[in-house]
Amino acid sequence: MSRARRVFRRTLETVVVALVAALAAVVVLGVVFRKAGAALVWYDEAASILLAWLTYYGAALVALTRGHIGVPVLVERLHGLARTSVLLAGEAAVIGFFLVLAWAGMQVQGALAGTTLVSMPAVPAALAQSVIPIGAALFVVAQLLSLPGALRAPGDDPGERGGDIP
């Protein structure tokens, strides 16, 4: 499982870095053209979509390292079956939410069939919105891959904790 986590992490890191670079390039390009008096009609829409993609893919990356806001003190103070039960209940809630989000994202995909972006008519709207089901699925995978490390009690084996992926 550790190898799968590392490959998944490296893949998400690569995607996130590429999205940051693309967003930076689009913003700089948009500013340069606007200052030159020839604003790009597609700039705002492209930047918005890249930011949404960065948010979803970045959220999955942070989920893999268990870096999202939580109440770790509560779980860390519990031991044995109580700790495992609370941790699994929280995981079930998070994974359940993202499975519903993935399902809703697929419904959006169907509703957008045949439509295109306003400022970039060659780009299908479904492509821009595909981040919803894909990002939700990636978040679920990240949670599942980091779960074994989270189930270990603090101090068991710190090198294997979900947040300490090398």
Side-chain angles (χ1 to χ4, degrees):
M1 188 72 102
S2 181
R3 176 165 162 58
R5 268 197 325 247
R6 278 194 305 273
V7 169
F8 189 71
R9 180 178 180 173
R10 300 261 189 263
T11 302
L12 281 177
E13 285 173 345
T14 301
V15 169
V16 167
V17 167
L19 287 170
V20 167
L23 181 57
V26 166
V27 168
V28 168
L29 196 62
V31 169
V32 167
F33 272 82
R34 187 162 293 174
K35 284 290 186 185
L40 301 169
V41 295
W42 53 267
Y43 159 77
D44 288 331
E45 198 167 26
S48 297
I49 291 166
L50 286 170
L51 183 58
W53 287 2
L54 179 60
T55 301
Y56 274 88
Y57 287 103
L61 179 58
V62 173
L64 186 62
T65 60
R66 298 205 160 256
H68 284 289
I69 295 172
V71 188
V73 172
L74 171 66
V75 176
E76 288 170 3
R77 289 186 183 193
L78 297 173
H79 299 285
L81 184 60
R83 181 182 188 282
T84 302
S85 298
V86 168
L87 187 67
L88 290 177
E91 288 299 305
V94 169
I95 289 170
F97 171 80
F98 280 97
L99 288 174
V100 169
L101 183 63
W103 175 81
M106 291 305 295
Q107 301 304 308
V108 168
Q109 291 295 99
L112 293 175
T115 61
T116 62
L117 298 180
V118 174
S119 64
M120 296 178 282
V123 179
L127 174 66
Q129 298 301 320
S130 67
V131 72
I132 297 170
I134 293 170
L138 290 173
F139 201 102
V140 169
V141 170
Q143 286 294 114
L144 293 173
L145 286 174
S146 65
L147 185 58
L151 286 171
R152 286 186 192 79
D156 282 357
D157 186 0
E160 290 295 317
R161 300 279 319 252
D164 298 325
I165 300 169

